[in-house]
Amino acid sequence: MAVTTTFETLLLQHAALAYEKQLFLGTIIGQRGWSYNLSNGQIAFGDDLRYSMQIMGTETTASQSWLWAWANTASRIPPQLLVAANTVKSYGERNSVPALYTPTVTLPPGTSVHYVAMVASGLYKARAYYRMPFEGSALFVLIDDPAFPLDPRHPVQRVAETFPRFLASVPLGDHRTMFTGYVEGYNMLTRTEDSTIRAIYPEDRRMVTAQFDAAGSMLAINTQL
């Protein structure tokens, strides 16, 4: 089955925050190699970093398809590592999003498998996701360890610095919707005035403001710290 419009809506809502988390993951793990252990449910980066994980799904490169971990019975994945995948499946069933509960999803041309990972990471509120490549395929996991460090930057600073970079790297449309989803991921309060959206962080009232053109493309972004 193809990814639906409803899935695309979820992607617009979750993609920017997921992208930010991936950038921060990169600063933590650097160039370390990876390994994983299904017995203890951990992913390791080098010799010094180990985090608990959830198995999310498998990408098959040749067919441009995604197999959800809960449907991969041949791999005998321990049930405790399928909590995230089953949570996303349940969300899809409740909200009629077939891409989230169909065992194998065939991605249309131009749709990155990372988009599935971004949505799953956002719905499960994971710390990050990681792609482990193998010959002809790749395994995607979510890092859900409370010990994984948090980005020390203020959320307003994160949004202002990351969103333009995200727009330059991820070819999705409707910047306005993605910005709204991004700041709402931080529980910011939004105020819309014509072409401007002001997002206020409730704990200290710091604000990030974005301006958009009539087509929804971002024109400018600035902060009040």
Side-chain angles (χ1 to χ4, degrees), residues 13-14 17 21 125 179-188:
Q13 292 172 349
H14 294 288
L17 183 54
K21 292 177 179 179
K125 300 187 185 303
F179 177 79
T180 301
Y182 191 5
V183 297
E184 288 181 348
Y186 280 118
N187 297 316
M188 293 188 192

Side-chain angles (χ1 to χ4, degrees), residues 16-26 121-122 124-129 148 162 182 186:
L17 183 54
Y19 177 85
E20 178 202 293
K21 292 177 179 179
Q22 295 311 111
L23 292 180
F24 186 64
L25 173 66
S121 178
Y124 192 66
K125 300 187 185 303
R127 296 298 176 92
Y129 71 84
F148 186 82
T162 304
Y182 191 5
Y186 280 118

